[in-house]
Structures are given as structure tokens and as C-alpha cells.
Amino acid sequence: MATDAEEANEDRRKYEFRKVIEELKDFEGSGTQLVTIYIPEDKQISDVVAHVTQEHSEAANIKSKQTRTNVQDALTSIKDRLRYYDTFPPENGIVIFSGAVDAGGGQTDMVTRTLESPPQPVESFRYHCDSNFLTDPLEHMLADKGLFGLVVLDRREANVGWLRGKRVEPVKSASSLVPGKQRKGGQSAQRFARLRLEAIDNFYQEVAGMANDLFVPDRHELDGVLVGGPSPTKDEFLDGDYLHHELRDKVIGKFDVSYTDESGLYDLVDAAEDALADQEIMQDKSQMEEFFEKLHTGEEATYGFDATRRNLIMGSVDRLLLSEDLRSDVVVYDCPNDHEEFEVVDRRHSTPSHECSECGEEAEVQEREDVIEHLMGIAEQRGTETKFISTDFEKGEQLLDAFGGIAGILRYSTGV
Ligand SMILES: [Zn+2]
């Protein structure tokens, strides 16, 4: 099980990835000259170097001299980066972006970014050369939240597996000996029906056993269970109390799926798309509801940069709530009388001048930093959990628009 510290670290890394991806998405090459390489953890670095060397020599055939030079420069830069690694990439692999990006006015800038150990494994080696960097696979990994148990079944076959983020992992399958609906001659109809029901019951028990063995040990991490299959099988299975009671409480829904082999697990995830999207923001919703409740009924809530920061430093913040769409920097000012003040500015805007609110003197800029990194840094030191809140629902939007994207649920009231 992940500890709070590990989880906080993972949130932070995800945020850092998101930030780099946003930057990369904005870049454009004037030709097909931006190179992206996805390297899985089991790919030998020497193989990748060989591939890049090959691409480098093939790039000699590119007609436009400028594109040719740019592509070759990008590949050289990637080879330089690869020298930092030994035999294999670090856990989950590496993604490298390199290329000459449009800097306006006919100028280009050489940009190279390496992202190590993404939140989920890089699944296959990809070499991509285009007028944009290839960020989709990484974005998918970052959008991924949650762990779900999957069960598909009919009366003859069943499969169980995991949905981790957007990745389906088939784990186990079973097939039944349930006889068909036609009885053989000589068998009494009653006896046949009883045997058939018994066989169905046995099979459901077997499937539930498989699901219980797989999901129960991870029930505390589990965000939900999805069950799929034709009717009435899935209904019989769920209504029949076969699943462990703690899993039953986590069933998000049952879905019509025609296949019950491994491909049925993928169909199930497709069929459950809406339910999964709701589930994903459900946690964000409950955080925001708790925040508003505390805000209205008492003083165990804080918001805005200054108050939230003060509370964080006091160690009184239980959970720091940051809007996923917050794109601001904080500027730290120091006046001649040593008053330290902060101003939050849009990331795209230049640093404004600042007059000290205490003594009216012109204050000097000490530092400009990403506001999320600034607050998360303090939160980590104080053992405060950080939650990123989506803007895909009303209260999430309010966090961004009405509270500057920054709020906190307090452990106790502090009056600041
Ligand atoms: Zn001052």
C-alpha cells in the first residue's frame, strides 16, 4: 500500500509531468522535425542508440536542408541524453522530446526534454517524427486515476482483471460445465433443471471466488468493481450474494457486454465509460463539498494564497486543495523594511512592480516560482496531503474562479 508520503510524491511528479507536457504541446516545428521517443523499461539502451543512429543516417535523404539539419541535431541531442543511462532505462521507461521549435520571426529554438519514470509503464517503443511532439500517450497516463476490479461472465465463461487508470489487465479466466438448455432423452425435466441450476450456482461461486481472491486483498485501494455480461447472468450473479460483501459495496454498476472472453474486459470498460468519468470526479466532488460545509458552518476552512500559505506553515492544514487548472506563479517581494509579501500572477504575465502594503515602500523581487510547487513544497514539509481538483463540475470551477484555485481543509480553526 502506498504511504501518504509516497502518494504526495506521486501527485507532485504528476503535476511536474503535466507542466512539461503543456509546454511541449505548445511547440511547433516548421517542418516534420520534432522527434519523440518512448522507451519501455525493458528496452536495451544500446538498441535505442542503434535505432537513433539509423534514423540519423536516413535523415540525410531529407530534401530541405534546414529540416535535415534540424532532425539530425535533434537526434544527436537524443543520443547525448541516452548516454546518461546504463543498460536499461529506469522504472517505467523514459520519454525524450527533441527538436527545433518555431520561436517566431523565422527563428527556431532547440528544445530537448527528458521525462523519466512516468506514472505508468511506457508500453511499447515508439519513434515519432512530426511537426508536433507526441504527448498523447503521456497525457493518457496522467489522466489515469483509479483502480477498478473487472468481472465479465455468462453461464459458460468468465474473466476477471484490473483496470489501472486506462490500462486493462486480464488476470484469470474460468469456464463452466453448465449444460445447455436441451436435456438428453431419458432425463426427467425436473432433475435436469435442478442439475442445471446447481451447475450455474457452482460456476457463479467459482467466479466470485476468483474475484474475491484477486480484489479483496486490495480492497482499500480499490475504487470500484464493474460487472459485465449478458442479461440475466450478471443480474443473477450480483443479486445472488456471491461476491464478498466488501466488494459488493464497491460495485459501481453492471453493464451489457456480449463477449466474456478477455476482449469482454475491454468492452466492459468501454460500456462503463460514463460511470467511470463520474467516479473520477466523485472524489473531487466530495472534497469540495467538505470544504464548502466547513466554510459555511465554522472556521475549519481556508482559501486564497495568503491565508492558505499561513495555515500551511502553521501545520494546521489537513488537505490542500489545488485546482488542476491553476496556472500561476507567486512572486516573493522584500521591501527595504524587510516586510515579505507575495503576489500571485498569471504564468504568462511579466512580473509586476509591488508597493509594500505595510510601509508603502517599493519592494524588490526576491523570487518567482510556480505557485503549486511553492505550496506543495510547504505542504510536504508539514505532512499535509495535496489534492488536485478538476474543474469539470460546478464546485470545482468555483475553486478556480472564486478562490483563486487555492483552498484548504483545516485540522482545527486558526482564525487566519
Ligand atoms: Zn514594507
Side-chain angles (χ1 to χ4, degrees):
M1 207 168 114
T3 65
D4 285 353
E6 275 163 1
E7 229 163 77
N9 199 16
E10 196 183 318
D11 276 346
R12 193 196 185 115
R13 284 180 55 79
K14 277 192 177 177
Y15 172 67
E16 282 160 7
F17 272 95
R18 263 211 301 274
K19 210 171 129 181
V20 174
I21 289 167
E22 267 171 32
E23 181 201 7
L24 291 167
K25 273 165 75 112
D26 282 345
F27 290 137
E28 243 177 90
S30 52
T32 305
Q33 58 189 43
L34 304 188
V35 179
T36 310
I37 296 190
Y38 283 74
I39 310 167
E41 61 183 19
D42 58 358
K43 180 95 175 164
Q44 291 220 16
I45 293 290
S46 56
D47 285 354
V48 183
V49 172
H51 189 109
V52 173
T53 306
Q54 176 71 20
E55 292 288 349
H56 191 282
S57 67
E58 278 170 24
N61 302 323
I62 297 173
K63 284 205 185 84
S64 147
K65 178 175 182 285
Q66 203 193 357
T67 306
R68 182 170 67 235
T69 312
N70 286 341
V71 170
Q72 291 189 326
D73 285 353
L75 292 168
T76 304
S77 173
I78 288 171
K79 260 165 72 173
D80 286 346
R81 292 293 168 118
L82 289 170
R83 277 201 216 123
Y84 293 109
Y85 303 96
D86 297 329
T87 323
F88 289 103
E91 199 188 342
N92 286 357
I94 338 169
V95 189
I96 308 177
F97 304 87
S98 185
V101 302
D102 224 331
Q107 300 293 304
T108 57
D109 271 339
M110 192 66 189
V111 166
T112 303
R113 300 276 184 275
T114 310
L115 290 177
E116 263 182 38
S117 298
Q120 286 179 41
V122 171
E123 285 183 359
S124 53
F125 178 78
R126 285 180 83 160
Y127 174 89
H128 184 89
C129 188
D130 202 346
S131 53
N132 294 99
F133 288 122
L134 178 69
T135 54
D136 279 1
L138 267 174
E139 284 175 79
H140 278 293
M141 291 179 196
L142 292 172
D144 289 355
K145 280 186 189 168
L147 176 69
F148 297 87
L150 307 176
V151 181
V152 287
L153 79 163
D154 56 19
R155 286 167 177 175
R156 310 208 141 265
E157 186 187 30
N159 267 273
V160 298
W162 294 111
L163 173 65
R164 291 180 201 278
K166 296 235 176 350
R167 207 151 50 98
V168 174
E169 288 173 19
V171 180
K172 264 182 167 178
S173 64
S175 50
S176 81
L177 298 169
V178 176
K181 280 183 182 151
Q182 295 301 317
R183 68 190 159 103
K184 294 187 187 90
Q187 217 172 8
S188 91
Q190 239 182 345
R191 183 175 147 75
F192 175 77
R194 202 187 66 232
L195 286 175
R196 190 161 181 273
L197 284 178
E198 259 177 40
I200 291 172
D201 181 62
N202 284 341
F203 184 56
Y204 288 168
Q205 283 186 32
E206 186 188 346
V207 176
M210 232 163 51
N212 294 343
D213 289 349
L214 186 62
F215 305 147
V216 171
D218 286 327
R219 64 193 180 282
H220 299 299
E221 276 84 28
L222 198 62
D223 294 301
V225 175
L226 305 173
V227 178
S231 291
T233 317
K234 58 179 181 307
D235 314 277
E236 283 172 358
F237 178 71
L238 284 172
D239 297 341
D241 287 355
Y242 294 97
L243 279 178
H244 187 279
H245 66 94
E246 284 192 64
L247 296 181
R248 236 181 295 144
D249 294 342
K250 294 210 170 208
V251 173
I252 294 172
K254 48 186 181 185
F255 303 89
D256 282 317
V257 170
S258 9
Y259 295 99
T260 52
D261 57 3
E262 270 188 26
S263 76
L265 295 174
Y266 295 88
D267 291 349
L268 173 61
V269 171
D270 286 343
E273 196 186 338
D274 290 345
L276 286 169
D278 281 351
Q279 191 69 18
E280 200 168 288
I281 58 172
M282 203 113 93
Q283 289 173 7
D284 292 8
K285 275 185 180 162
S286 76
Q287 299 286 346
M288 285 313 292
E289 260 148 36
E290 189 179 341
F291 167 74
F292 276 105
E293 207 181 284
K294 298 221 162 176
L295 188 66
H296 292 311
T297 58
E299 289 164 340
E300 288 174 13
T302 187
Y303 57 85
F305 177 82
D306 285 302
T308 305
R309 183 177 185 277
R310 276 199 297 274
N311 274 300
L312 270 177
I313 288 172
M314 290 166 69
S316 59
V317 182
D318 181 53
R319 266 155 294 153
L320 173 65
L321 308 179
L322 297 174
S323 172
E324 265 182 11
D325 291 346
L326 180 60
R327 299 287 176 271
S328 301
D329 287 339
V330 59
V331 187
V332 187
Y333 297 93
D334 205 5
C335 87
N337 298 315
D338 273 346
H339 300 127
E340 191 185 47
E341 293 193 338
F342 304 90
E343 203 171 318
V344 177
V345 295
D346 191 296
R347 191 176 290 162
R348 293 159 302 183
H349 295 172
S350 57
T351 306
S353 59
H354 182 89
E355 212 169 72
C356 175
S357 66
E358 285 198 49
C359 63
E361 296 277 349
E362 184 75 23
E364 237 180 87
V365 177
Q366 292 303 306
E367 203 185 353
R368 178 170 175 156
E369 192 187 4
D370 181 323
V371 74
I372 290 180
E373 276 169 21
H374 182 96
L375 292 173
M376 276 187 99
I378 305 171
E380 273 165 28
Q381 287 167 17
R382 296 291 187 275
T384 298
E385 214 181 323
T386 301
K387 299 276 184 197
F388 283 98
I389 308 291
S390 132
T391 50
D392 292 342
F393 62 106
E394 200 192 336
K395 289 191 167 87
E397 238 174 81
Q398 265 175 291
L399 173 64
L400 184 64
D401 298 339
F403 300 99
I406 300 164
I409 293 171
L410 302 184
R411 296 189 170 110
Y412 47 84
S413 162
T414 59
V416 293

